[in-house]
């Protein structure tokens, strides 16, 4: 049995054989299912491969995706979602942990670069207050999770629709992201210094951030 990662690679290769019409139909279903993060990734990729092989077989006989799966791809995709088993809690926890690790690395790298650039114009404060940093980290994680959930929801809504509707969804997404990010930026500028502090220079922050991002990529490559 092929692993999920191998199925994804094979799917990418076989999908190139689809006609433009069939590829559009199938790609909407593919994205719709893959964005269901609570479903088993392995089972999702297996069913996507079965659908693709069935579609390629029908295409060879002169059939279209609509003729094979029906004129309502979203209804068909919803039926598949109901049939697929949920992902294990361990896998979901691992995904959230990896996302937090990546966010932490990005935050450290941006902080380091920001302090370096600012230091050319004025004296900067290198101290990090543990209490304030912990609160900011929690807000950043919650904000990012909320934005991801919103974007996934918008993408799913934009599938099976015309491009004009997708453009409106993109505008809504941008405004929504700005609104969701507001608490983090308010906390970043107005949160008082809380708890004990320690010096953390720009170069240490930048190096730590780059190492953390590299670690995230290494783990992700092995895991996914």
């Amino acid at each position: 049995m092929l692993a999920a990662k191998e199925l994804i690679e094979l799917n990418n290769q076989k999908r190139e054989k689809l006609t433009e019409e069939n590829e559009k139909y199938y790609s909407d279903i593919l994205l719709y299912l893959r964005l269901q993060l609570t479903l088993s990734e392995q089972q999702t990729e297996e069913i996507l491969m079965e659908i693709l092989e069935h579609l390629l077989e029908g295409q060879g006989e002169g059939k279209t995706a609509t003729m094979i799966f029906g004129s309502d791809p979203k209804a068909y995709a919803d039926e598949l979602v109901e049939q697929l088993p949920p992902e294990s809690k361990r896998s979901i926890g691992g995904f959230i942990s990896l996302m937090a690790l990546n966010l932490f690395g990005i935050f450290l790298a941006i902080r380091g670069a920001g302090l370096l650039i600012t230091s050319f114009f004025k004296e900067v404060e290198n101290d990090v207050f543990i209490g304030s940093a912990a609160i900011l980290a929690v807000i950043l994680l919650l904000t990012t999770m909320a934005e991801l959930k919103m974007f996934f929801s918008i993408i799913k809504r934009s599938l099976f629709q015309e491009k004009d509707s997708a453009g409106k969804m993109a505008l809504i997404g941008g405004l929504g992201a700005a609104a969701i990010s507001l608490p983090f930026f308010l906390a970043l500028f107005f949160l008082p210094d809380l708890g004990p502090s320690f010096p953390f220079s720009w170069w240490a922050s930048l190096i730590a951030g780059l190492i953390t991002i590299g670690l995230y990529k290494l783990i992700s490559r092995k895991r996914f």
Side-chain angles (χ1 to χ4, degrees):
M1 182 178 68
L2 295 177
K5 184 176 181 179
E6 296 172 317
L7 286 169
I8 291 172
E9 293 175 356
L10 184 59
N11 191 302
N12 292 337
Q13 297 172 10
K14 289 192 172 186
R15 204 160 68 244
E16 295 178 356
K17 301 176 183 179
L18 293 173
T19 63
E20 183 177 351
E21 178 185 355
N22 288 343
E23 201 278 333
K24 172 65 171 65
Y25 188 106
Y26 178 77
S27 291
D28 280 352
I29 293 177
L30 179 145
L31 283 173
Y32 191 79
L33 293 185
R34 285 182 177 173
L35 288 173
Q36 310 289 338
L37 299 182
T38 57
L39 299 180
S40 168
E41 181 187 21
Q42 180 66 35
Q43 296 293 325
T44 297
E45 294 305 326
E46 288 177 1
I47 196 68
L48 284 171
M49 181 57 67
E50 291 179 11
I51 295 171
L52 179 56
E53 290 176 343
H54 186 35
L55 178 55
L56 286 170
E57 181 180 346
Q59 181 177 286
E61 299 172 357
K63 299 178 182 178
T64 65
T66 302
M67 295 169 63
I68 299 172
F69 303 113
S71 59
D72 190 347
K74 186 177 184 306
Y76 177 66
D78 285 333
E79 291 179 7
L80 295 173
V81 169
E82 294 179 1
Q83 298 172 13
L84 288 167
E87 186 64 275
S88 67
K89 293 182 179 179
R90 182 178 179 181
S91 297
I92 296 175
F95 173 79
I96 295 176
S97 299
L98 272 178
M99 185 178 69
L101 181 67
N102 188 39
L103 283 174
F104 184 59
I106 293 173
F107 180 77
L108 288 178
I110 292 176
R111 176 185 178 274
L115 288 178
L116 172 61
I117 294 173
T118 305
S119 66
F120 288 111
F121 304 99
K122 65 177 184 178
E123 185 177 351
V124 295
E125 177 61 56
N126 290 322
D127 289 347
V128 172
F129 291 83
I130 296 177
S132 302
I135 293 174
L136 282 174
V138 171
I139 295 175
L140 178 61
L141 180 60
L142 294 176
T143 297
T144 304
M145 291 178 64
E147 288 181 346
L148 283 175
K149 184 176 181 180
M150 180 196 68
F151 279 123
F152 287 165
S153 176
I154 289 174
I155 292 173
K156 284 188 285 187
R157 289 182 184 180
S158 68
L159 297 173
F160 317 112
Q161 297 185 26
E162 297 298 329
K163 292 183 178 180
D164 289 343
S165 297
K168 293 178 181 178
M169 292 292 183
L171 177 60
I172 294 173
L175 295 174
I180 294 174
S181 301
L182 185 60
F184 173 75
F185 287 105
L186 288 175
L188 186 63
F189 289 104
F190 298 109
L191 184 68
D193 297 333
L194 301 172
S197 65
F198 62 93
F200 196 33
S201 62
W202 69 264
W203 59 266
S205 182
L206 183 60
I207 292 175
L210 293 177
I211 291 175
T212 304
I213 293 172
L215 181 62
Y216 159 77
K217 291 185 177 180
L218 180 62
I219 297 174
S220 298
R221 192 172 299 144
K222 290 183 177 180
R223 182 182 177 88
F224 302 111

